[in-house]
Amino acid sequence: GGAADLQFRDPEVADELADDIAAQMERIDEPVEIMHVCGSHEQVIAKFGLRSMLPDALSVTMGPGCPVCVTNMPEVDEAVALAEAGKTVATYGDMFRVPGTVKSLADAKAEGASVEVVYSASEAVELAETNPDEDVVFFATGFETTAAPTAAVLQADPPENFSVLSAHKYVPPAMEVVAEMPETDVDAFLAAGHAATITGYGLFEEFVDEYDLPVVVGGFEPLDVLYGVRRILEFIEAGEGGLDNAYPRCVSREGNEAAMAAIDDVFTLTSGEWRGIAEIPDANFVLREAYADHSARAQFDIDAVDGAGDPLTEQCICGDIMAGTASPEGCELFGEECTPSNPVGACMVSDEGTCKIWHEYGGEP
Ligand code: SF4
């Protein structure tokens, strides 16, 4: 709160930006679809009713920006299997209730397995230090913002009984896949500011060169989003692709080079399935061979869970929602069989999930 925030929430400035955007859209004179790639963007859009300030022809949809939501069921299954095999599984709170094929970590815990919610990678290491007789597996999820601290704890010589089950993900290849999907019609991307604080916005240069679309890095205050949208429409009006940073108070071209070096030292990228979306090349962070001593996959035989999944899961369209081809209201289960207290899909579990956010606001926010 306080003055620092107000500076980025001034309603008068917001109205001026909305007027600019309306004028731009009139000149562009055709529908524009902007995809943002971050749950925090969806939260601020919902909370401040930003969509209602935009012309109808301009849609801002959420893409694959919720790391919990894109964590694949077999990855959850691995964590559940480890918990059921007697390891202590430590994970972030919003992963706890995400359904696997048969159960979530919360279900496993209810049945007696040892599952601990932690707030950071270092808290998971502390858990291993204070419980030297247990194997503590950190089920690590998230984009670069959380991959960096996971890398840092692995570099800091953690105890022998500490290992990592990495489900960390890397967004740019997912943007490429979504941009290429024949059923999507994305004109531009509003890229996530906090991942970019780590990676730097220069990371998107290659994408822009290849796809010739506008990519603008945006922050998380209402005015940040509106500035970002206005900047994107400038590119579109000029008929150009291009890259810009609309969040310069936090993001630089190079990003946090030390954090990026740590990520690169610890992880390599491999192809993997993002839940419900697609197999995405080079978008999953896995531990390098040099860290095999702390790799849960290298250290333990992980017996995949067996059993039939919830038949309702088949109806979940979370993947289409994250690819920008459907909205939560297109899901028959939304708000009925699927609610935050009884989630069918991952998009209803995480605070960054579109379904959860929309549910909180009673429909399209
Ligand atoms: Fe999946 Fe539930 Fe969202 Fe439907 S409302 S898409 S079941 S998470």
Side-chain angles (χ1 to χ4, degrees), residues 86 120 126 132 238 256 280 302:
S120 64
E126 281 162 30
N256 181 335
I280 304 190
I302 307 179

Side-chain angles (χ1 to χ4, degrees), residues 301-360:
D301 274 332
I302 307 179
D303 273 332
V305 251
D306 227 351
D310 179 348
L312 279 182
T313 312
E314 307 266 302
Q315 292 180 52
C316 174
I317 57 164
C318 201
D320 297 336
I321 293 170
M322 288 182 290
T325 59
S327 85
E329 283 169 346
C331 174
E332 284 179 17
L333 308 182
F334 178 67
E336 305 286 335
E337 287 92 340
C338 182
T339 59
S341 53
N342 199 7
V344 174
C347 293
M348 190 58 94
V349 178
S350 168
D351 288 338
E352 294 188 285
T354 320
C355 297
K356 169 107 182 263
I357 296 169
W358 285 37
H359 190 266
E360 201 172 310

Side-chain angles (χ1 to χ4, degrees), residues 67-201:
V68 168
C69 306
V70 300
T71 302
N72 205 20
M73 279 208 210
E75 292 173 312
V76 177
D77 294 345
E78 287 180 285
V80 168
L82 286 163
E84 292 191 328
K87 322 292 176 209
T88 292
V89 172
T91 195
Y92 292 119
D94 53 359
M95 212 53 231
F96 186 55
R97 289 168 61 239
V98 171
T101 306
V102 181
K103 50 182 96 161
S104 64
L105 284 168
D107 298 331
K109 181 164 181 144
E111 291 167 11
S114 173
V115 179
E116 299 295 333
V117 169
V118 292
Y119 294 92
S120 64
S122 36
E123 202 185 323
V125 173
E126 281 162 30
L127 200 62
E129 282 164 351
T130 48
N131 298 281
D133 301 330
E134 286 171 32
D135 288 314
V136 173
V137 178
F138 178 44
F139 184 31
T141 56
F143 302 133
E144 294 86 346
T145 29
T146 53
T150 302
V153 298
L154 286 170
Q155 284 182 321
D157 199 15
E160 246 173 64
N161 61 329
F162 174 80
S163 62
V164 168
L165 177 66
S166 174
H168 284 302
K169 305 258 184 295
Y170 183 59
V171 174
M175 286 168 55
E176 294 183 22
V177 166
V178 168
E180 279 180 12
M181 283 184 177
E183 59 275 35
T184 56
D185 201 8
V186 180
D187 298 301
F189 284 93
L190 180 66
H194 36 224
T197 58
I198 307 283
T199 61
Y201 70 86

